[in-house]
Amino acid sequence: MVREAKENAILVYDRALSETTQTFAKAWRSVCAGLQAKNEKELLKKLPAEVWSKIVDENVQQNDLLALASTCRFFRDTTGDLGKKLVTNLSEDHFLKLLKSGNVPPHSLDWFQWASDTLEFLPGFDCDDEERVEGVAYEGDLLNYAASQGSVEILRWLMEDKGWEPNLYTVGEWAGFGGSVEVLEYLL
């Protein structure tokens, strides 16, 4: 009888704890949503458009604008208000211009995962501009970009986890552009 009462007490306690936790989690989400709305309305909008423009112009590359705008409504509206195009350009010409300018921002595996899951990619690699489908990137474009960054981790993920087939000549060439011996060793 004592054992049965103890087991019932534990069940009642567990049930009460579960209900309390769920209630707290719901209230916490509500508080967080309220704070986010308050910050969005009060704090972030206190910066003049010129300051936002400077922040975006000096710190956000064109290929990052879409990712930035995807993080929250405020950033999406702000980039739109600044007249920025939410376009990610993964073309070879664009990457070559970035390499020559020295403004190649390093991107993380998370960015590559976002790009590969969000943007439309065709299989392979088509370097002939006349044959390329406009507005679409090729898997080879992202592989080449990862190679130029010198990221074996990202290349491994794209090739092994995503199953993308590299053109070893172009990927090797881009690894050379980026000066990455590690990528060349991985490809061999």
Side-chain angles (χ1 to χ4, degrees), residues 25-41:
K26 186 184 275 185
W28 185 251
R29 283 192 294 273
S30 175
V31 168
C32 288
L35 287 173
Q36 181 181 357
K38 181 179 178 184
N39 285 341
E40 198 172 284
K41 289 179 182 170

Side-chain angles (χ1 to χ4, degrees), residues 66-82:
L66 182 58
L68 174 69
S70 298
T71 60
C72 73
R73 183 180 309 119
F74 178 78
F75 288 145
R76 184 175 57 247
D77 293 346
T78 301
T79 54
D81 292 345
L82 294 174

Side-chain angles (χ1 to χ4, degrees), residues 55-67:
I55 290 169
V56 170
D57 290 344
E58 293 179 9
N59 299 292
V60 182
Q61 297 292 328
Q62 178 64 44
N63 282 351
D64 295 327
L65 282 175
L66 182 58

Side-chain angles (χ1 to χ4, degrees), residues 46-116:
K46 287 185 179 180
L47 288 176
E50 304 83 46
V51 175
W52 277 114
S53 181
K54 185 173 180 163
I55 290 169
V56 170
D57 290 344
E58 293 179 9
N59 299 292
V60 182
Q61 297 292 328
Q62 178 64 44
N63 282 351
D64 295 327
L65 282 175
L66 182 58
L68 174 69
S70 298
T71 60
C72 73
R73 183 180 309 119
F74 178 78
F75 288 145
R76 184 175 57 247
D77 293 346
T78 301
T79 54
D81 292 345
L82 294 174
K84 301 292 184 182
K85 291 184 180 180
L86 299 180
V87 176
T88 299
N89 185 350
L90 299 176
S91 72
E92 182 178 296
D93 290 341
H94 181 70
F95 287 140
L96 284 173
K97 286 177 189 172
L98 286 174
L99 280 172
K100 288 177 183 175
S101 72
N103 289 328
V104 182
H107 284 100
S108 66
L109 176 60
D110 288 336
W111 184 90
F112 278 85
Q113 289 170 335
W114 168 83
S116 69

